[in-house]
Amino acid sequence: MAASRYRRFLRLCEEWPVEDSKQQRDLGSVLRQRVAQAFREGENTPISDPEACDQMYESLVRIHTNFYKNKKYPRLKDTTFTGVTVEDCRMILATDILKQMEDIKKGTWKRLREKFSAKKPEEDLK
């Protein structure tokens, strides 16, 4: 039984897309890491709570297939209340854009110190 559960999770991981724009913050990559941790021994991994495992799988499938978006709560428009589209949200949440926003939030003194400092800012914290 554990082998079939393992294969179902592997199939889900293969189908789940990985967004390269969200480095280390992508749900697909987190899912792959968690499956690898949970099934360390592959098909031979003993499962302590099969019902919880099946429930987790079904929940992930519903997220992956947009079950609630398509069946229960259909959307009339593909925008938010602010008028921002899905593509705009993806662009804003990209890792590169978030790093640029962090640089903008830095104060002038901190930017100057980082620019002219010989050592890295992480070394100042030690």
Side-chain angles (χ1 to χ4, degrees), residues 96-112:
D96 298 337
I97 301 295
L98 291 176
K99 284 182 182 178
Q100 289 176 3
M101 295 297 287
E102 286 178 17
D103 290 341
I104 290 171
K105 288 182 183 178
K106 288 182 183 176
T108 306
W109 177 250
K110 190 170 186 175
R111 273 188 264 144
L112 284 172

Side-chain angles (χ1 to χ4, degrees), residues 60-107:
L60 290 169
V61 167
R62 284 192 298 269
I63 292 171
H64 176 61
T65 59
N66 289 324
F67 177 79
Y68 293 105
K69 177 187 172 195
N70 298 330
K71 299 285 181 181
K72 299 272 185 173
Y73 308 102
R75 297 183 63 154
L76 303 175
K77 298 179 183 178
D78 285 336
T79 60
T80 62
F81 73 97
T82 60
V84 178
T85 64
V86 174
E87 291 303 318
D88 291 340
C89 287
R90 282 195 181 117
M91 184 185 74
I92 291 168
L93 293 174
T95 302
D96 298 337
I97 301 295
L98 291 176
K99 284 182 182 178
Q100 289 176 3
M101 295 297 287
E102 286 178 17
D103 290 341
I104 290 171
K105 288 182 183 178
K106 288 182 183 176

Side-chain angles (χ1 to χ4, degrees), residues 14 17 21 27 29 31 34 41-42 47 52 54 56-57 72 75 80 83 87 99-100 102-103 108 115 117 126:
E14 289 173 4
S21 65
L27 187 56
S29 60
L31 174 65
R34 294 278 176 98
E41 299 173 25
I47 297 174
D54 292 340
M56 178 67 70
Y57 174 77
K72 299 272 185 173
R75 297 183 63 154
T80 62
E87 291 303 318
K99 284 182 182 178
Q100 289 176 3
E102 286 178 17
D103 290 341
T108 306
K115 185 175 181 179
S117 177
K126 292 179 182 177

Side-chain angles (χ1 to χ4, degrees), residues 30-61:
V30 171
L31 174 65
R32 286 168 177 76
Q33 291 172 356
R34 294 278 176 98
V35 168
Q37 288 174 355
F39 292 97
R40 287 190 181 115
E41 299 173 25
E43 294 181 352
N44 298 327
T45 303
I47 297 174
S48 59
D49 192 359
E51 290 179 14
C53 182
D54 292 340
Q55 186 178 20
M56 178 67 70
Y57 174 77
E58 293 301 324
S59 297
L60 290 169
V61 167

